[in-house]
Amino acid sequence: MTDVTAPDRALVTDPGSIPPHTLRRVVETALEEDAPWGDVTSETLIPAGATATATLTAREPGVLSGGGVFVSVMHAVDPAIAAEVHVADGSRFVAGDHLVTVQGPARSVLRAERVALNLVQRMSGVATLTATYVAAVAGTRARIVDTRKTTPGLRALERYAVRCGGGRNHRNSLSDAVMAKDNHLAVLLADGVDIGDAVRSARERLGHTVHLEVEVDRIDQIEPVVAAGVDTIMLDNFGPDELVAGIEVVAGRALVEASGGVTLDTVAAIAATGVDVVSVGALTHSARALDLGLDVVVTA
């Protein structure tokens, strides 16, 4: 087994952190898309009794996410495939490390190969990018969190990958919290509704367990929003000096989230201002797939 080290602050988790019904739906949909009437190539060329051993190998360094998902794809195609995961999700690896080994009917391994690879490469890319952002804010109070800018249908997997990289998750869906952003405020303004009054009314009608967050893009908007009783205020596209000034206005009455155009070049300076949360859409919308390969050896 490869000697690995988990990234700082990583929440190393297991595939059980992805709801089983969600994972099953993703895998079934992907397999149906890839082989709606079977794998014609393997069924034509590969002997029915052939067996194969395949090793998932890193071609570049990174943080693993999706080892269990990789195995789940294999098992969805054929429960007879045996699997051994060598590196835990949330762990770092280097080029050449063996991550997962599977063995079973060759036709089944070959049918599952591309879907299994696509998912683990995508998830590991998200985890690796997240770990880089987390490392950039080390020593500050700021948490790196994701956004809803995820690949449709893959949100649960990509958010799990963010956790594997040491990041945290924002609200999962529109159903999870009240979060008034710029377009909501624009509608209220057009209707002549004062934002402070709107937030205060929402606070009175919401249950005590429902989180209330409001986005602002000017310092003068902060006081009426915080005074109305928000749990979190998002300071959108504020520069470092503006963030410091905004935090002073909030004065500990709400969590402060920085958002908007956050990059690896700017995240350290943003975190150093003392914000509680830095939300980064790039964790999921701009992560590239990691270069992992599956080396297959087929025996008759």
Side-chain angles (χ1 to χ4, degrees), residues 195-217:
I195 181 57
D197 291 340
V199 173
R200 194 172 295 106
S201 175
R203 179 82 283 170
E204 292 173 354
R205 289 182 286 116
L206 290 172
H208 69 283
T209 63
V210 180
H211 196 89
L212 175 57
E213 178 169 0
V214 175
E215 173 188 272
V216 301
D217 55 20

Side-chain angles (χ1 to χ4, degrees), residues 165-177:
R168 308 291 182 89
N169 298 143
H170 213 295
R171 60 172 177 163
N172 186 59
S173 71
L174 292 172
S175 302
D176 293 336

Side-chain angles (χ1 to χ4, degrees), residues 41-55:
T41 305
S42 295
E43 291 166 10
T44 302
L45 299 177
I46 304 300
T51 60
T53 299
T55 304

Side-chain angles (χ1 to χ4, degrees), residues 9-27:
R9 298 173 60 191
L11 303 180
V12 181
T13 46
D14 57 47
S17 295
I18 302 172
H21 67 281
T22 300
L23 178 57
R24 183 166 55 251
R25 182 178 67 244
V26 169
V27 171

Side-chain angles (χ1 to χ4, degrees), residues 4-138:
V4 294
T5 303
D8 291 342
R9 298 173 60 191
L11 303 180
V12 181
T13 46
D14 57 47
S17 295
I18 302 172
H21 67 281
T22 300
L23 178 57
R24 183 166 55 251
R25 182 178 67 244
V26 169
V27 171
E28 289 176 352
T29 300
L31 288 171
E32 181 180 5
E33 176 184 65
D34 201 43
W37 303 287
D39 177 0
V40 178
T41 305
S42 295
E43 291 166 10
T44 302
L45 299 177
I46 304 300
T51 60
T53 299
T55 304
L56 179 66
T57 303
R59 293 175 178 165
E60 63 177 316
V63 175
L64 185 66
S65 180
V69 172
F70 182 91
V71 173
S72 293
V73 175
M74 292 287 172
H75 286 168
V77 170
D78 191 340
I81 296 175
E84 182 180 3
V85 178
H86 305 295
V87 175
D89 280 357
S91 298
R92 293 189 182 275
F93 54 80
V94 297
D97 279 351
H98 292 171
L99 309 176
V100 183
T101 299
V102 296
Q103 184 175 32
R107 288 182 177 181
S108 299
V109 172
L110 291 169
R111 180 179 176 183
E113 172 187 9
R114 177 45 53 195
V115 170
L117 264 176
N118 284 350
L119 292 176
V120 73
Q121 286 180 297
R122 171 67 181 158
M123 293 174 69
S124 294
V126 170
T128 300
L129 181 59
T130 301
T132 304
Y133 272 89
V134 170
V137 304

